[in-house]
Structures are given as structure tokens and as C-alpha cells.
Amino acid sequence: MAHGPATLADGWVKYISRWIFTTNHKDIGTLYLWFSFAMFILGGSFAMIIRAELFQPGMQLIKPEFFNQMTTMHGLVMVFGAIMPAFVGLANWLIPMMIGAPDMALPRMNNLSFWILPFAFAILVATLFMEGGGPNFGWTFYAPLSTTYAPDTVNYFIFGVHIMGASSIMGSINIIATVMNMRAPGMTYMKMPMFVWTWLITAFLLVAVMPVLAGAVTMMLMDINFGTSFFDAAGGGDPVLFQHVFWFFGHPEVYIIILPAFGVVSQIIPTFSRKPLFGYSSMVYATASIAFMSFIVWAHHMFTVGMPIAGELYFMYATMLIAVPTGVKVFNWITTMYKGSLTFETPMLFSIAFVILFTFGGFTGLMLSIAAADIQYHDTYFVVAHFHYVMVAGAVFSGTAAVYYWLPKWCGKMYDETMGKVQFWIAFIGFNITFMPQHFLGLAGMPRRYADYGLQFADWNMVSSIGAFMYGAAQILFLFNVVRTITYGKPVDKPEVWEGAEGLEWTVPTPAPYHTFEKPPQVQ
Amino acid sequence: MQTSHRTLLAKLLALAVAMFLFAVFVLPPLYDLFCEITGIGGRTDGKYEAVEVQVDTSRQVEVQFVAANNAEMPWKFYPMEYSVVVYPGETRAVNFFAHNTTGEDMVAQAIPNVLPNNAADYFHKTECFCFENQPLAAGDQAELGLVFIIDPDLPDSVNTVTLSYTLFDITDRTELSVSQIQ
Amino acid sequence: MLKKAQALFLRSLGATLALVYVGGANAESAASQLNMPQGVTEVSQAAYDIHMIMMWICTVIGIAVFGFMFYVMYAHRKSRGAVAENFHENLLVELLWTIVPAIILIVMAIPATTALLKVYDTENADIDIKVTGYQWKWQYEYLGEDVKYMSELRTPQDEIYGREPKGEHYLREVTEPLVLPAGKKVRFLITGNDVIHSWWVPDFGVKRDAVPGLFTSAWAKTDKPGTYVGECTELCGSGHAFMPVVVEVKEQAEYDQWLAGKKAAAAEYASTIGKEWTFDELMVKGEEVYNRSCAGCHAVNGEGIPGIFPALKNSVIALGPVVEHLRVVVDGIEGSAMQSFADQLSEVDIAAVIHYERNAWGNDVGDITQPIDVLNYKQAK
């Protein structure tokens, strides 16, 4: 369009058509980000219901059947609807600009990748209102609870998962094609920003394991509807097979979630340290090692299923080893800060919190990898605490940091720094009050996915629920901050929004024009 | 559409179809071959063709029998002997008792399991009621037979082998082929 | 402002850690709310020990790394006049912080391995117990002794739904605990009846999944008599939180007495099965059985949950011929969550609960179902 993208001034029809038919990576990035935020609020509401019910022992608000639907949907919506699309949104906005490309390699497929997501989640969320209720078997949907004993809506669940998987696969193909083919002249692989590297590696992980999830879910469909026995011992199958197939997807999945988060932090810390990222090549190799190793550790999710000891020992050793490249990355971030010139704007606060709290979650992960101790941790709140530390204080904090950091570039307005810092502290404190006590709950013996609990677990549950409401409030404040910035924020017009920011996205005007790098830049 | 695009499309479609045919017709025999060669994955519980083995009288192994019913399987089902003591290499026969206590004809399938894990490869069944569906008319009883041999190569650390059967109701699925059941 | 926050954070971290270690040192006391119990078996102690080792190592590394980071955040801030240097590579340092952690891990792997070997040592057990996970209770069978019973949550629905105050043993009490002798090695053979459950007793250091169609094994041996409570640790449906594990370890003599008593009770029950119960006796017994074993799904008022668990009040089956009602309860309904109760409830219990369902909530069918009727149905040709 010669005069720029349609705005509200051009009328509703033109405006809505722009968003439905757009092939522009910035628009699609925006769509993903708003969608993921809506899903984050939805998944967060499910969490609020869970924590409200768990505030006290006994069933006060909901029945156990519905509680199981809430825990299941909270997991599904957060993993597949909030975190993954958020980072895909960041990828869409940033990767072309960071490599000096005008757009993604496959813009129409990019549009399709996004638009099938609201469709899939509409179906998934609608199951909550159907007869028999929504999926209630945990986001890990083990057979036979999810096959023989599933509610009738399980087929919609399977359909939704297939569509989400297709979206991820198409998005990943797009990212790989873009990064491999469209870098500006002079931008060799080892000159790419870390965010691009982490996404390139993540895209390969996605392409490798999403089909495995599709396989698991199709075998489920066959068992439920077509009389096969993949996971049914009566017909010669094995429920444990489900777990192996699922976790072969599931473990790389958690690295898919965290690697782009690593990439974001690797962009932000050098900016606010005014110092280049320490050990760039190590960071690349460490990320690649983590990705490779993520394929060979899956059965650490299955330590109590009765595996032969040789297998159990192998998976324990392999899992422990992942700590090495992860540690290298943490050390590199801290050394980037060392002897820098540090300021602590909101993106930096979230990134530093990421380093501390993600590492803390990494420590509990290392403890979990010790199979003999895992006998006492497995399927308890200790695991819940661990993965919320790495996924919330990890991925979500990183995503929040990314929004504060790049929002000025996207919309040309600066957020209010005081409001940002306030939001950070409420989120940080609320998060820790919610999840630190859950370690104690797990060690004291409270299993996960429990709608009710014995009186000895009451105190920490109450504390955790209070923290959850505080953390939830912080997200509303985040939304407020973002909307206020976009509407009334102080305009920024210099390309380099942050002193110390490096990268091609900081060479284009602020806000970024609808089309950037229509002519590729020459990179030194 | 440009001719070169058309050719590319045709080639890609053909490739997709070929991949599908490969997965359906070529992969299963390849998997069977792989399992046969490596010996892993689910064939250890098939019918064992007995070979001449020297009975090892230097050690004894206790073999325990455990029975379980899966949900909605109301038959009475239990081993006639809780445990026996055998020499590795010795052939032994035991029976399980099954009684269809309902008012309907039913078909059952027994699924075996061997503990500890490292004993599974050394427990050979030459005859087992778990090789086939077990039909029982309403109210009927039966003594189901099992003949087994413990391989003399059973690791020394194993002194007790537990063989358990879980009984499933497969009345609604009797076209099932059960010759190679794990 | 940030300095104060850092100090506050460090103090809270220190306080929390202190609490945890104090808790760890007094693991048997109320402070075990913070830490894993040491438990009463070799395996639970091994799990605790390796847990503490790992926690210490991670704490030391954490304090070193985060301490350094906090120092950097203080000393190298722009507001203090720090000027950024430009270095961004150092091969030696990268090698060091790759190799040293790898060595630490290899060292950690040694006690981790010995601990795991203990977990798998199920040979030479004195007693074998078959544990079966049902939706939503456990069944224990003493193999070779012909003693078998269900162990179900005893906490009433009224306490769960806030209609009665919660008792001291809320969700930690069962109809019949698993009873074991002290000083004997017990092997558990664990399976699932319907979906995957998981049998966990923290004080024993035993957790094994109960998978339908296959068996897993675990073991425990303790010299300490006492009551040990555990939980189901694999999501198994709506009753997942309502099927605790309670184990009572008794001295050998007491255990022998108990086992003999169980066998005698079973024999006596078999001989009195022909007794005629009155209408009211069956109603009282039936209500007790119903509230314990059926109300979890079909609700105390018989109305179930629409679309999920059918109502029994005014239902075709409860009002119809007894033989159909027996069929549903004794044989279960294939492909649904309604299990066969033939193995889980005695003939007396089944007769009583069927009687109750047919006469409560206004159903008022007016007939009587005797235990011998149930036995005859089960044995019918």
C-alpha cells in the first residue's frame, strides 16, 4: 500500500482486513503478542481459580472434577497459548530487523501460522462448556486416563493440539528459511545477535519434536476412536509407551520455551552493562549443546515408572550434564556485567531477576535429576515449584523484559520508568511468595494436581495463594503499563533508544517504519 | 501456474504419497527385522521353542505367581500355587484358576509381566494361556495351564522371579490377533 | 534503594535457608514441614542424605555466584562512576567454568549412584504385598496368605465440603491401613486397576507407579513401629487427592496376631453369609457403605453430576429389577468409570448399598437385598 497500513481512520472494514490478511512481520508479531497476552490472562485466571480453591483445605469453591480441568487447561493455555506464541511474536518482530531483512521468508505462511491459533484455542476453551467438561487429565495427558477414561471432549482437545503443532512447525520453517537465506551481506552466522541464534536453534528443535507430539496425540485418537491398542495393555500395548513418546517431545519442548528467553536476556544485559556480551562463541556452542542434549534425557520425567536400573542411571547422568552448558551461559551473563557500567532500568531488572531465579530453578532441576532423591520429589509440589521458577521467573520474566525493552522501538513511545519498576517489584515479590513455599510443600509430602490436602499443608498453601493473587495483580499492572505507553507514552524519536544498545534494529527510526531494510544494509 | 511450478508441485505430491506408502508398507517389516536382530522391544514373551538345556542343579530359583483383574473384569482369577522352586533349565507346569461368575459369555486376555526387569529375557514360556484369548461361557470355570523354563543364563543376582498376569475383558474386541503379545 | 533491596533479599534468603537447615536437622519434628523427612528405612535415609548433599552444594555455588553478581551490581554501576571495559572473551576462564562444574557433577554422581542401587535391591524379601491402585482407593493383598482388602479414605464427605469441622486426621485416615511387621524386608508388587496411580510412602522412601497391565516393584524394611502416611502421586481422576496410603508397622508378635485375626474374620464372614438382615439394618449399613464408596461420584444426595456421573435418585436401574442393579454394581459397566465392585466390596456391603440405593432419596422400592442374594448372583450359572 503506497500510503502505509490501514488505520482506524480508513474505516472498520479496511482496518480489520489489514489485520486478517497482513503478511507484514511487524503486524504478525503484534498479533502474536496480543494473542499471547490474552492467553496469559486466561491461563492466569485458571491459576487464580486453582489457588483460590487451595487457599484452605477442603473443597470450598469448585468440585474436584472441575479442579482437574483447571489444572489441565492452565498448563495447556500457558505453554501452548501464552509462552510459545509470545516468543514467536518476538521472533517475528525482531528477527528480520536484526538480520537486516525486509520481512520473513514466507510471509503468507506466516499469516496462516498465526491465524490458526485463535481458532485452535477457541475450540479448546469451548470444551469447558461442553457436556462432560474439558480435558481433565493434566497437560501431560497420560494414557489410559486420557484415552479410556477421557471425557467426550478429548477429540476436540486432540484436534486443538494438532493445529497448535502445525502452527509451530510452519513458524519454525519460516524462521529457519529466513535466518539461513536472508541475512544482510556481511552478517555471517557468528555475527548474528544471540536472539537470532537461539531462535534458529529453537526452530530446529520444534521441527524435530512437534511431529512427535502429533504422533502421540494421533495414537491417542486411534486408541479412543478406532479400537487400536497403542497404550492399552489388553491389546498388547503399553501405557508407558505413551510416556516415552510424550516426553520425547516434552523435554525438548521445555528447552524450546527457554532458549529464546536466553536469547532475549543475552540482548538486554550487554545493553545495560554498556559492554559486549562476554563469550559470544561459547554462548552459541552452549545453546547448541543444550539443544542437542535435550533429546537424550526425556525419561527423567519417568523415574518412578519402573525402568530398569541401567536406563535410570543413564538418564540421571545425561540430565546432570545439561547443567554444564547452562552454567556456562549464566557465568557469561554475569561476566558481561562485570566491569561494565550498569544501569537498572526495568528491562535490566527483569533480566537480572531472570538470571538469579532461573538459576535457582536450575538448581532444583539438578536436585530432581538425582533419581534416588526424585523418589521423594516426583509428582509433588517440589516439581511444580521447579518448573514455575524456570518457566515464569525464566521465560515470562524474559518476555516481560523484552516488551519493556523493545516497546519503544515498536510504538515510538517510552514507558514510565517508575511504573515499570513498581510492576517489577510487585511481580518479583509476588512470584517468590507464590512459589518458594511450594518447595516446602513438596518436600513435606504434598503431591501435585491435588484439589484438596491434609491439614499439615495448610499454612504454606495459604501463603502461596496470597502470593499468587499479588503476582496476578502485577500482570494487570503490566497490561496497564503497556496500554498507557502505547496511548499516552512520552514520544521517542531517536533510533538508538537505549544507550549501549547494539544491533540493526537500533539503526532504524523509532517507531520502526512498516517496512524496514527494503534495501539490505552492509554489515561490518 | 508456471510449468516449472507445476512440475515441482507434482514431484512434491508424489514424494508425500511415497513417504506415506513407505510408512505403511515398508516400515513395519523393517521394525520387525530390527527387533529380531537386536532382540529388544517386546518379543521376549512370545511362545518359546524349547531347546535342550542342561538343568543347573547348583542353584534354585523361586518363581512366584500373581494374578490381577483389570477394571470391570469380575472373574475369579488366581494361581493354584502361590510359588514354586525350580532349577534353571527345568521344565515346570503350573495352573491358574479362572471362573466366569457373571451371567454372560465373555472372552478374556491375560497379559503377563516378569519382575525383576533383568529376568524377563530369561523366563521362557513354552505353553501359556496368555498366548490366546480365553473364552468362558457364563458361569464356567477353567484351569489354565502354563509351562515354563528358566534359562540357566539367568543372572546370579536374581533368586526370585515374579510372574504376574493381568486379566482383561476383551469380549467386545475378539477379532484381536494375540499371537505376539507382550 | 537498590542496595537496601539487595540487603533485604540477602537477609530473607539467609533466613529461609536457616529455617530449611533447622528443619532438616529436626526432620522428625513439626519443622519437617520445611524439609524432606529422613524416614525410617535405609532407602528414605539415602534419599534424604543425597538430597541434603545436593542442596548444600547448590547453596554454596549459589552464594558464590549470586554474591559475586550482587557485588558487581554494586561496584560497577554507572551511578558510581564505573566506566565500561571492552573485553568479551577469555578462553581460559571459559574452559575452567566448563570443566570444573563437570568435575563437580561427576563427583556428585557417585553417591547418587549408590543411593539408586539401594532403591532397586528387591531381592530376598520376607513378605510380598500386592498393591493395586483403584479409582479411588488401594487394595492390599498379602501374597501367599490369602488376606486381601480395600483401603479407602475414611474422612466423610461432610468434612471435605465444610459441612462438618475437619478432624485431626483429615485426609490421612483410611478404613483399613496396610499392616506390616517391623524388622522384615517387605517387597511391594504394584499395579493399577484402571488408570495409572502411584503408591508413595515418604517415610519409606518408596514411590512406584501403579500401571494397569504391568507390575512394578519396590521394597522397604524398618525396625520402627508406627503409623506412616503417604499419598497417591499420579493424577488418576477426580479422586486423586482422596486416596491416601496409611501403613501401620507393628512388632512381629503383634503383626502375627493381626494376620491371624484377619484370616479368622474372613473365615467367620464366609460362614455367616447366610444371615438374614432386617430392612433397617441394611439401610444403616448401606448408607455407611454408600457415603464411603459411592458418594464421591454419585453424591451424598444421589444426584450425581449431570453429564459425568449418573444420578441414582429416580434412576431406571435403582427402581428396576434387582438383577440389573446387581449387574451394574457387581460387574461394572464396560467402557465407563463404573468399576466392577465384585472384588472391592464384600457381599454384605454390596447387598447393603444396593438396598440403600433402592430405598433412599424417595426411591422407596421397598424390597430387600440379602448378602446371600449377592453371593448367588456371583455364583449363578
Side-chain angles (χ1 to χ4, degrees), chain C residues 139-158:
Chain C
Q139 184 197 67
Y140 300 120
E141 184 177 338
Y142 291 70
L143 293 173
E145 302 280 6
D146 209 21
V147 172
K148 179 163 83 165
Y149 55 87
M150 307 298 292
S151 178
E152 209 173 353
L153 178 70
R154 196 152 49 99
T155 303
Q157 294 281 309
D158 283 344

Side-chain angles (χ1 to χ4, degrees), chain B residues 64 67 70 72 101 159 162, chain C residues 123 128 130 187 193 336 378:
Chain B
Q64 299 173 327
N70 190 250
E72 297 135 28
T101 55
N159 301 311
T162 306
Chain C
E123 281 293 317
D128 294 294
K130 177 173 147 226
R187 185 169 68 133
N193 177 257
S336 79
K378 282 169 139 188

